[in-house]
Amino acid sequence: MTPKQKTYRLDRIKLVHVAKRELGLDEPTYRAILFAQGGNESLSAMSLDGMNKVIDYFKAQGFKLRKAAGDRKQATGQDAKKVRALWLFLHELGAVRDPSEAALTAYVQRIAGVDDVQWMRGTRKVPSNPAKRHQDRAELVIETLKKWAMRFLPADIVRLKGEVRERHQQGLLTPEQLQCAEIAFGNGLAPDVGFDKHNLVWDNLRAAVGRPFPPKSN
């Protein structure tokens, strides 16, 4: 690599870091985006082409090289982080085709009636549910995302269990992966069991097959 190429690469890395800061991304979301867009959860190990794809993705989410006055950052509150994490989780399940912030914003607008994740505070009238005439917007968005995930989670858990059994029969599981498998298979999933327990089982099954989500950082 020539000195000029090294300098360009370093500039790309710095730009990704600036974008991460400006967009207010937490570490799990950031790593998931690196993996999804650039093909590697580690920026230092990523190809230049991958970095450029990551930067293009950040630009599509609103990142600007020269931030103009009045531009909004991504919300960084706990509710916003949870909504964003669920959105990426749904993309991993194959339920969401477009994991971008723009697509998430459109979803939040439809469900909560606001045009930005950071404005989910407050309540929204729910005419279809007399028991909850007004519901917290963030709670409403999170609840609908979890219900959406439950349309896909049970089937994916069955598929992952089959993969874990096959890998176990082949002697391919490490002690750590065996421990995750034991946790997953030890948690019964009756029809009335909700999202959180399904998610716990799914997380451990993913770890058991060596594909934790979000990917672990180096």
Side-chain angles (χ1 to χ4, degrees):
M1 186 181 296
T2 67
K4 185 175 181 179
Q5 289 172 327
K6 289 181 179 179
T7 299
Y8 182 73
R9 182 179 176 82
L10 287 174
D11 287 340
R12 298 283 92 182
I13 291 174
K14 289 178 182 178
L15 193 58
V16 170
H17 288 159
V18 170
K20 176 192 175 185
R21 183 177 67 250
E22 294 294 337
L23 293 173
L25 300 176
D26 59 31
E27 193 65 20
T29 302
Y30 169 68
R31 293 291 176 181
I33 291 172
L34 290 186
F35 186 82
Q37 302 298 322
N40 198 310
E41 62 180 299
S42 171
L43 190 59
S44 61
M46 189 180 296
S47 68
L48 190 58
D49 181 63
M51 288 185 200
N52 286 328
K53 288 178 180 178
V54 170
I55 292 169
D56 287 342
Y57 175 84
F58 284 150
K59 288 179 180 178
Q61 310 318 305
F63 171 62
K64 297 180 181 179
L65 299 183
R66 294 185 179 181
K67 189 174 175 66
D71 284 348
R72 291 198 305 266
K73 294 182 181 180
Q74 270 192 358
T76 56
Q78 289 303 311
D79 288 336
K81 289 179 181 178
K82 187 177 292 186
V83 165
R84 216 168 268 119
L86 282 167
W87 189 250
L88 291 174
F89 173 64
L90 281 163
H91 175 62
E92 185 72 10
L93 283 175
V96 166
R97 292 185 179 180
D98 182 0
S100 70
E101 189 74 10
L104 173 57
T105 297
Y107 180 83
V108 169
Q109 200 284 328
R110 180 163 61 85
I111 300 299
V114 293
D115 64 358
D116 198 295
V117 177
Q118 68 179 332
W119 294 338
M120 290 187 299
R121 293 181 295 274
T123 61
R124 184 182 189 186
K125 189 174 181 180
V126 187
S128 60
N129 190 347
K132 291 184 177 181
R133 296 192 63 184
H134 291 84
Q135 186 172 1
D136 178 82
R137 286 192 178 96
E139 178 187 324
L140 181 62
V141 173
I142 291 169
E143 182 181 291
T144 57
L145 288 171
K146 287 183 176 181
K147 286 181 178 178
W148 189 359
M150 285 300 293
R151 292 164 51 191
F152 294 82
L153 256 179
D156 206 46
I157 285 173
V158 170
R159 180 187 62 79
L160 284 169
K161 282 185 174 180
E163 187 175 346
V164 170
R165 289 190 188 98
E166 183 178 344
R167 290 178 63 83
H168 182 254
Q169 290 170 358
Q170 296 172 353
L172 298 177
L173 299 184
T174 66
E176 292 79 10
Q177 289 171 339
L178 277 171
Q179 185 176 19
C180 290
E182 288 174 0
I183 294 172
F185 281 86
N187 279 271
L189 295 176
D192 60 340
V193 172
F195 170 83
D196 290 339
K197 198 165 186 179
H198 277 80
N199 190 39
L200 171 67
V201 170
W202 187 87
D203 278 340
N204 278 281
L205 289 172
R206 284 291 296 255
V209 297
R211 298 193 304 275
F213 180 83
K216 292 181 180 178
S217 59
N218 291 339

